[in-house]
Amino acid sequence: MTVHAPSAPAIDQRTLRDAFGAFPSGVVAVAASVRGQLTGIAASSFTSVSIEPPLVSFSIAATSSTWPLLREADHLGISVLADHHDVVCRQLAGPREERFTGLPFKVTGTGAVLLDEAVATYDCSLHEEVVAGDHLIVLLEVHEVGAGDGEHPLVFHRSAFAKLHRDDLDPARLDGRINGAAVDRGVRDGEDPAGATSHDAAGTDAEDAA
Ligand SMILES: Cc1cc2nc3c(=O)[nH]c(=O)nc-3n(C[C@H](O)[C@H](O)[C@H](O)COP(=O)(O)O)c2cc1C
């Protein structure tokens, strides 16, 4: 890995935040029961990383007061928030003692906290933490995934919540090819590729598609 020495800050922070905010994302809840204490945050920095081994990541502010406790969890739950979870998202980002008040969730046998009506869930353990400027990149190993009972994801864009419905998507995307390159979307035997809706992180890398 090449590590570049940090250069003098040349970009105005507001400009940089606005540019970061131009990139739309989903939002997840990262949560666990640690020593009997419900703990968690909302994170829009979640991303899929590796199929083999199965890894996902999110970034956490180095100043986070929640991460020192959350990182002690044997297992952490990731819940992909559904489009009606905008209030839940704000709550999970709010005062620590109120984050789980009134929220429907389950605690797995491993201590991961998974929200009801999420679009997908992951039961993970901490794999590695990488210091990256004023954040930590947290790599999580995925032990179990759940389909979730929510349908449409919450979208976060330019500091606002938006909704994404399947009717809005371009059906041409579903033919299993990007820029003419076949995309391995992990279609199972006997499954209709055109009907598959899963997203394969490794198969959709720009490199693979070029
Ligand atoms: C939509 C949304 C996305 C967020 N994404 C992140 C994130 O990716 N990383 C992060 O460190 N905090 C993120 N936050 C802030 C945390 O949810 C939480 O407010 C913060 O960690 C609280 O500070 P604490 O860690 O000291 O409790 C996000 C907040 C919101 C509302």
Side-chain angles (χ1 to χ4, degrees):
M1 187 176 72
T2 308
V3 179
H4 299 280
S7 52
I11 307 171
D12 167 63
Q13 285 200 5
R14 183 73 262 161
T15 307
L16 190 57
R17 282 175 193 275
D18 288 349
F20 285 174
F23 184 70
S25 68
V27 189
V28 298
V30 186
S33 174
V34 193
R35 288 186 257 124
Q37 198 179 327
L38 290 169
T39 179
I41 60 157
S44 57
S45 52
F46 173 82
T47 192
S48 51
V49 175
S50 164
I51 299 289
E52 186 52 53
L55 298 173
V56 296
S57 76
F58 71 99
S59 302
I60 182 89
T63 54
S64 169
S65 60
T66 300
W67 182 240
L69 181 61
L70 193 53
R71 70 183 296 287
E72 285 182 26
D74 288 337
H75 279 230
L76 299 97
I78 299 278
S79 305
V80 179
L81 299 189
D83 59 3
H84 62 281
H85 278 149
D86 46 345
V87 174
V88 170
C89 178
R90 286 195 182 90
Q91 185 172 330
L92 286 167
R96 281 172 69 170
E97 60 282 5
E98 292 166 18
R99 285 185 190 165
F100 295 90
T101 307
L103 283 194
F105 62 84
K106 69 170 181 185
V107 184
T108 69
T110 58
V113 170
L114 302 173
L115 297 194
D116 290 357
E117 298 177 12
V119 175
T121 58
Y122 302 75
D123 186 321
C124 306
S125 62
L126 183 58
H127 179 75
E128 194 178 344
E129 292 164 87
V130 181
V131 176
D134 56 13
H135 277 63
L136 295 173
I137 300 170
V138 179
L139 283 164
L140 300 172
E141 181 175 353
V142 179
H143 298 279
E144 207 171 321
V145 292
D149 37 17
E151 199 178 349
H152 303 302
L154 183 65
V155 175
F156 189 57
H157 183 234
R158 293 199 195 284
S159 304
F161 295 118
K163 298 185 180 200
L164 175 70
H165 285 189
R166 291 216 66 81
D167 291 351
D168 299 335
L169 299 179
D170 178 358
R173 189 194 69 90
L174 300 175
D175 70 358
R177 302 183 77 78
I178 294 179
N179 291 342
V183 175
D184 170 14
R185 293 160 54 234
V187 176
R188 289 181 282 274
D189 286 348
E191 194 175 57
D192 173 12
T197 55
S198 64
H199 158 85
D200 180 331
T204 52
D205 277 347
E207 260 179 28
D208 294 353

